[in-house]
Amino acid sequence: MIKPKYHHLIYISTLCAIAVGLLFGKAILSIPMILLSINWIFEGNFKYKLQQIISSKLLICYAIIFLIHLLGMLYTSDTSYGWHDLQIKLPILIIPLIIYSSTKISKNETKLILYFHLFSVLICTLYCFAVYKGYAKHPFLDLRETSVFISHIRFALNIALSIMALCYFIFEYRNKFLQALFGVIIIWFLYYMQKIELATGIVCLCIVLMVFILKKTLSIQKMSVLSSFLILFIVILIYGFLKLQSGLKMYEPSQDPNDNIQLKNTVNGNNYQNDAMYSICENGHYAEYNVCEKELREAWELRSKIAYDHIDHFQNIFKYTIYRYMASKNLTKDSVGVSKLSNQDIKNIELGYTNFKHLYTRGINHKWREVMFEFHNYTQNCNPSGHSLLMRLEFWKTAIQIIKKHPWFGVGTGDVKSAFKRMYIETKSRLDIRWRLRSHNQFLTITVAFGITGFILFSALFLMPLFIKSNSKHSLFLFFFIIVCISFLTEDTLESQAGVGYVMFFTTIFTHQKNKLDE
C-alpha cells in the first residue's frame, strides 16, 4: 500500500504535468490525465471522496453541463460525430470529479503548478519565435502556423494567463531580482504576442488589465484615483475611435481630384480597364483603375518567377495582390508601372504584401490593418472567404439561421456540423467549401446544439463559480475567467481538447484552494 502522502505527491506532480501538457497537444496531455485517474482510483478513501462529490456545488454544475451533451444524443442523427464530441467534452466531467473530490490544494502547490505552466509557455514562445525567424526547420505559410504545438488562439490564451500570473507573482514577492525577472518575461510575452499578431490574446489581456486596474482603484476608495481611472478610460475610448477612423481611411478613395483619374490608353497605345465595381483602395487609390492586363502580365512575368495567375495558399488570385500593391504606390498597372517597381517591391509582392506601408507596420499594427481591410470589404458586400473577420460574421449569421429553425432544443450533440453544412447550402453562402466551418462562438455553438433552453442552462451553470461565495478562490480566478469568456465570443473554445482542458483545469485549480489567496 502506498502511503497517502505519496499519493498526494503523485497527485500534485500529475497536475504540474497537465499544466505542461496543455501547451503540447493531445498526445502529451493524455499521459498525465491517465496517470491522474489511475492515482485517484488506487488512492482509495472513496467514502471521503463521495462526501466531497455530493457537497461540491461546482462539480454538480459541470456534471449537469456534461449531462446536457449526453441528453443531446437522444435526438441526434449523426451519432458517430456525437460520440466524438462527447469524448472531447469528457474533461468537463473528469477533471472536476478528480480535483474536487481530492484534498484542497495549498497556496505553494498552486504556485508550483503555475510555475510549471509558466515555464512551458516560455519554452513554447522561444521555440515558436525561432520558427518565425527561420532558425527552426519548420516551414510556414502563415503566422498562425508558427504555433506548432497547439492552435495559435489556444496558445494566446495560455500566454495571457501567464502574464496575469506573473503580475500576481510581482505583487506576491518582495524580492527585487525576482520582480525584475518576472517583468522581463512579461515584456517578452507582450513582444511575442505583438510580433506574431495574436490579436485575441491581446484583446483578452487588455480587458483583463482594465478590470485589474478598476479592481485596484475601487479598493483604494479615493475619488482622485477613481477620477484618474475614468479619465484614462475615456482617453482609451477616444484613442480607439481615432484608430478605427484612421484605419478605415486607408481603404477609402482619396478626396484629391488628381487621384483616381481613369485613363484611356497606355503609352504603348493599349486600352486600360477601369473596374468601378471593385471598390478596394490602397492609400486612397483604386486597385482596379488603369489596368492593362496584357502589358501587366508580360512585364510581371519578365521580372518574377511567380505566375501572374498563380493561386496562393489562401486561394486568392495573385494578380490582385499586384493590383493592390501598385495602387498603394499610385502606379498604373501596365508595363510602365512595373518598370517603376524596385527589385525589393517585386519581392514584397511575391511575399504577399498588398501595400508597401505594411512593411513598416508589422506585428499587431499589421493585424489591425487587416481587420480594417476586412471591415471595408464587409461594407462593400465582398466574398468573405479567407478573411477571418468576415468569415466569422458569416459563421454567426449561419448559426442564427439554424437557431431560428430549431429554437428550443437545438439540433442535438452530433448534428451541429451537418446542420451548418445544410444551412450553408440553403442560404447559398458565398463562402468557399473549405471555409464553411462552425460558428466560432461558444455561446452560439451551444445554442445551435441545445437551443435557447440549453444556452440559458449552460450559461447559468458555467458562470456559477462567480456567484458561489468562497474564501478559497485564487485571486487570479476572476482574470482567468474573463479571458475564457472573451474567448467564447470569437472561438469554439470548448470544442477542442486543448481548449476544454485549459478551461476546466485552471477553473478547478483556482476554485479548490485550501486558504484565501486574495491580495
Side-chain angles (χ1 to χ4, degrees):
M1 290 289 291
I2 300 175
K3 294 181 179 180
K5 66 176 182 180
Y6 293 122
H7 275 296
H8 187 74
L9 179 62
I10 295 170
Y11 171 61
I12 297 301
S13 299
T14 52
L15 291 181
C16 290
I18 291 171
V20 174
L22 289 171
L23 277 300
F24 293 99
K26 183 178 179 180
I28 295 178
L29 180 61
S30 298
I31 296 170
M33 283 292 297
I34 293 170
L35 292 175
L36 182 71
S37 303
I38 292 172
N39 181 67
W40 185 85
I41 293 169
F42 280 95
E43 184 182 27
N45 200 10
F46 292 112
K47 184 177 180 181
Y48 168 80
K49 289 176 179 176
L50 182 61
Q51 290 174 344
Q52 295 297 107
I53 290 170
I54 295 171
S55 63
S56 175
K57 295 177 182 178
L58 290 181
L59 176 55
I60 293 170
C61 289
Y62 297 129
I64 295 173
I65 289 175
F66 186 79
L67 181 62
I68 292 170
H69 286 79
L70 200 58
L71 291 174
M73 290 294 292
L74 296 176
Y75 55 97
T76 193
S77 57
D78 190 347
T79 54
S80 176
Y81 186 83
W83 289 117
H84 171 72
D85 188 64
L86 283 174
Q87 185 180 359
I88 290 173
K89 301 291 173 39
L90 201 56
I92 295 177
L93 180 64
I94 298 299
I95 293 177
L97 176 66
I98 293 174
I99 293 179
Y100 286 145
S101 64
S102 300
T103 55
K104 289 189 175 183
I105 302 165
S106 71
K107 183 176 181 177
N108 287 333
E109 289 167 345
T110 303
K111 286 182 182 179
L112 183 64
I113 293 167
L114 289 174
Y115 277 131
F116 269 89
H117 181 257
L118 174 60
F119 182 74
S120 301
V121 172
L122 181 59
I123 294 298
C124 284
T125 55
L126 291 171
Y127 183 81
C128 292
F129 192 73
V131 171
Y132 167 71
K133 284 294 187 179
Y135 303 139
K137 293 182 179 180
H138 217 297
F140 64 93
L141 296 173
D142 185 86
L143 279 177
R144 291 172 291 188
E145 295 173 8
T146 60
S147 179
V148 296
F149 302 111
I150 57 173
S151 152
H152 68 292
I153 299 262
R154 310 284 181 264
F155 191 29
L157 298 181
N158 280 275
I159 297 173
L161 174 60
S162 291
I163 291 173
M164 295 312 302
L166 285 165
C167 292
Y168 166 77
F169 289 140
I170 287 173
F171 280 101
E172 178 74 14
Y173 293 104
R174 294 294 178 262
N175 186 299
K176 297 297 182 184
F177 173 77
L178 287 177
Q179 289 178 330
L181 177 62
F182 295 149
V184 169
I185 298 174
I186 288 174
I187 292 169
W188 161 248
F189 284 158
L190 292 173
Y191 173 77
Y192 177 84
M193 293 177 81
Q194 189 276 144
K195 203 69 176 175
I196 309 299
E197 302 176 12
L198 299 178
T200 300
I202 291 172
V203 170
C204 288
L205 195 57
C206 288
I207 294 174
V208 165
L209 288 174
M210 291 288 287
V211 173
F212 177 76
I213 293 169
L214 179 60
K215 187 172 180 284
K216 282 288 183 183
T217 303
L218 294 177
S219 66
I220 295 171
Q221 295 181 342
K222 287 184 179 180
M223 282 303 298
S224 59
V225 180
L226 184 58
S227 300
S228 299
F229 175 81
L230 291 174
I231 292 170
L232 176 63
F233 185 74
I234 293 169
V235 168
I236 291 172
L237 287 179
I238 294 172
Y239 173 78
F241 175 76
L242 294 175
K243 189 80 172 172
L244 176 65
Q245 194 176 43
S246 64
L248 288 174
K249 278 185 178 179
M250 182 177 232
Y251 302 107
E252 292 177 354
S254 171
Q255 300 302 311
D256 189 331
N258 295 317
D259 290 332
N260 296 314
I261 296 173
Q262 297 184 31
L263 303 175
K264 291 185 177 180
N265 301 105
T266 71
V267 295
N268 298 314
N270 294 308
N271 293 330
Y272 280 120
Q273 299 167 341
N274 292 284
D275 191 348
M277 295 297 292
Y278 187 78
S279 58
I280 293 300
C281 292
E282 295 290 344
N283 302 337
H285 308 296
Y286 280 113
E288 288 205 31
Y289 271 22
N290 305 323
V291 178
C292 179
E293 194 155 18
K294 178 179 180 295
E295 287 189 19
L296 183 60
R297 182 194 299 273
E298 292 175 356
W300 173 261
E301 294 190 348
L302 286 174
R303 297 194 63 184
S304 175
K305 293 181 181 179
I306 298 181
Y308 181 79
D309 293 317
H310 170 70
I311 306 295
D312 67 18
H313 62 286
F314 287 120
Q315 300 300 303
N316 297 319
I317 301 175
F318 188 68
K319 68 178 182 179
Y320 293 113
T321 302
I322 303 173
Y323 289 176
R324 290 176 59 192
Y325 190 94
M326 295 183 74
S328 76
K329 304 199 79 170
N330 196 20
L331 298 173
T332 53
K333 293 82 179 177
D334 56 11
S335 59
V336 173
V338 174
S339 71
K340 293 180 180 179
L341 292 173
S342 67
N343 290 335
Q344 186 59 53
D345 286 326
I346 298 296
K347 288 181 181 178
N348 295 339
I349 296 171
E350 289 174 340
L351 290 170
Y353 288 100
T354 56
N355 192 309
F356 77 94
K357 288 186 177 180
H358 289 177
L359 293 164
Y360 313 109
T361 55
R362 296 306 297 167
I364 201 63
N365 284 327
H366 178 257
K367 188 67 177 179
W368 176 254
R369 288 182 183 275
E370 279 188 1
V371 170
M372 291 298 97
F373 172 70
E374 292 184 24
F375 185 80
H376 179 82
N377 273 1
Y378 178 72
T379 62
Q380 301 299 320
N381 203 31
C382 294
N383 190 322
S385 298
H387 303 293
S388 58
L389 175 63
L390 299 189
M391 290 196 299
R392 276 176 171 77
L393 294 174
E394 194 73 12
F395 300 155
W396 298 344
K397 286 194 294 184
T398 305
I400 290 169
Q401 291 300 317
I402 298 170
I403 293 166
K404 286 180 178 178
K405 289 189 70 174
H406 307 272
W408 299 114
F409 299 103
V411 299
T413 303
D415 286 357
V416 174
K417 187 177 180 180
S418 57
F420 270 95
K421 185 178 180 179
R422 289 193 300 270
M423 188 54 68
Y424 282 128
I425 295 171
E426 285 182 31
T427 56
K428 298 178 181 178
S429 173
R430 292 171 299 161
L431 279 173
D432 296 340
I433 298 296
R434 73 191 190 104
W435 293 118
R436 295 184 177 185
L437 307 175
R438 298 193 302 186
S439 65
H440 277 59
N441 180 302
Q442 188 63 57
F443 296 115
L444 284 176
T445 298
I446 289 292
T447 312
V448 167
F450 311 116
I452 296 171
T453 306
F455 165 74
I456 294 172
L457 191 55
F458 169 82
S459 299
L461 292 168
F462 188 80
L463 296 174
M464 192 62 70
L466 295 176
F467 303 102
I468 293 178
K469 291 183 178 180
S470 173
N471 289 330
S472 60
K473 286 180 187 174
H474 197 287
S475 56
L476 278 174
F477 174 68
L478 173 63
F479 306 121
F480 162 76
F481 210 76
I482 292 170
I483 291 171
V484 169
C485 290
I486 295 169
S487 76
F488 279 9
L489 299 176
T490 57
E491 289 298 321
D492 298 322
T493 308
L494 298 180
E495 305 306 308
S496 68
Q497 190 175 58
V500 72
Y502 168 81
V503 172
M504 297 313 304
F505 178 73
F506 284 111
T507 298
T508 50
I509 291 296
F510 288 149
T511 56
H512 196 60
Q513 299 295 309
K514 199 174 281 185
N515 48 343
K516 186 174 180 179
L517 293 169
D518 290 331
E519 300 95 347

